Amino acid sequence: AIQVPKSLVERNLGVLRANSFSREDIYRMLDKGPWILSFDISKSLLKLFSDLQTALGLNQTQSMKVVSHNPYLLAQYTRYPGRDVCATVKELLDIGYSNVSLIEDVIRFPNILSTPPERIRGWLNFLQHYNIATCSKLYGKMLRRSPFMFHLDPPNLLDNTYESNDAIKVLDLLYHLKIPDLDKVIRSQPSILLCNIDELYKRINFLISLFSAASPIRSLDESIDDIVSSTDLFSQGYMNINNNIQNIFDKSNKLNSNDENALNMLYDLLQTYPGVISIDYEQMRAVGNAMRAGGLKRSDIVYLIRRYPATLERSPELLQNLLIFLVSYCGFRKIDIVPFLSKYPSLLVADIDELQPKVDYLYQSLGGTPATLRRFPAYLSYNLEEHIKPRSEFLRTFNVNPIQFGLSFFLTSSHRDLANSVGVSIDVFRQFCLSYSKLTRKSKKVLLDSR
């Protein structure tokens, strides 16, 4: 910037001020691209404003925001006289963007307009080579979730060195694995195209190995790592991967029943929860080991992952603590854990510190048992102070056992039904809850003041 003539800098700053750029706009632009002052922007800025008005109907304020957040676009107009943002806009509209959504995205992410039209079309052609996003509208929706496509050039399938590109390796692997509806998987998880191929092998190998019945767990202490190492389907690296997959699916080398079932489970999982393919291998392995350490059998782990794939995204430490909490604190048997979680899967993301007071109140104040909790796991989802305790104290006022009709009636019945169960009007119940709430707040305030 020191080598830029002072006269040019002053002229460019004058052009910006003359076009109503505020000091904040100029500072932002120089922070993102100080090299913009080395160009003569007097003509290119006006042409850019005119094109933004023509292509998108942006007003002066919106155009200033786009340029100040994306000085690279102004640099393109200055260095390349043929640069036309209208061509980029036309290409985006052709591939499925609506005019309204495009304006919204441009205002939020001005860098979109810096994308050459051929890059946008190039990604579409590349994906359609694998029968992905064959409809332009689908590609437009995918592009909104794939900002990297605006910044990275697509792989060139005609280049002799194309095998070095991870995006091609990823698609080749998934294509040869015969993933059903590969189009849906990639469109919902476009970031997988940037995944390192070795990492993707590990993820797929983990899931297939876990689902395979060929290597049963021999003891409670056997870890997920042992399972994976005993059924490593893809251990020879990328150079031999296509041959390995081809051998697996070769008609003369038919799959044994274990491998076939494992692959079918993988297919089903990707159909119902494509996001599983984007979960890091180390995260999946840690979750698997946490569930083993928490006392679950391998069949239980497979069941939970197949039914609630998002389990793999949970914190391993919190998940292990939850399983131990259910056994040691709630008094569950290990065989009770999976049925319990199946009825209340949101418990997988619950905070133990919030669950413990509810369990204490159920067992100590309400006279509940582990069987009582197992029959109605949703009890743990209700607010203790605002829902459970007011109803409990109301029924006790009339000498009624709160859980004599079960936790379900106690917690899910309407105000009217709960009042009718003790022979009073709904207004009595509402007034009781209001008074109880005031008394609770007053008690808390006294407790805080005493500290």
Side-chain angles (χ1 to χ4, degrees), residues 295-312:
L296 295 188
K297 299 184 295 184
R298 177 178 177 179
S299 58
D300 296 334
I301 296 174
V302 172
Y303 177 83
L304 282 177
I305 290 177
R306 292 190 66 195
R307 190 159 184 180
Y308 312 109
T311 304
L312 290 171

Side-chain angles (χ1 to χ4, degrees), residues 20-37:
S20 303
F21 278 79
S22 66
R23 176 175 296 182
E24 290 74 16
D25 292 331
I26 296 175
Y27 283 164
R28 184 186 307 114
M29 178 183 293
L30 295 180
D31 181 61
K32 292 176 177 290
W35 30 259
I36 197 67
L37 293 179

Side-chain angles (χ1 to χ4, degrees), residues 307-321:
R307 190 159 184 180
Y308 312 109
T311 304
L312 290 171
E313 298 183 87
R314 304 301 180 231
S315 166
E317 182 180 359
L318 295 180
L319 186 58
Q320 180 179 342
N321 292 339

Side-chain angles (χ1 to χ4, degrees), residues 273-284:
Y273 194 76
V276 71
I277 203 171
S278 297
I279 303 175
D280 290 342
Y281 163 70
E282 293 294 339
Q283 166 68 15
M284 290 194 289

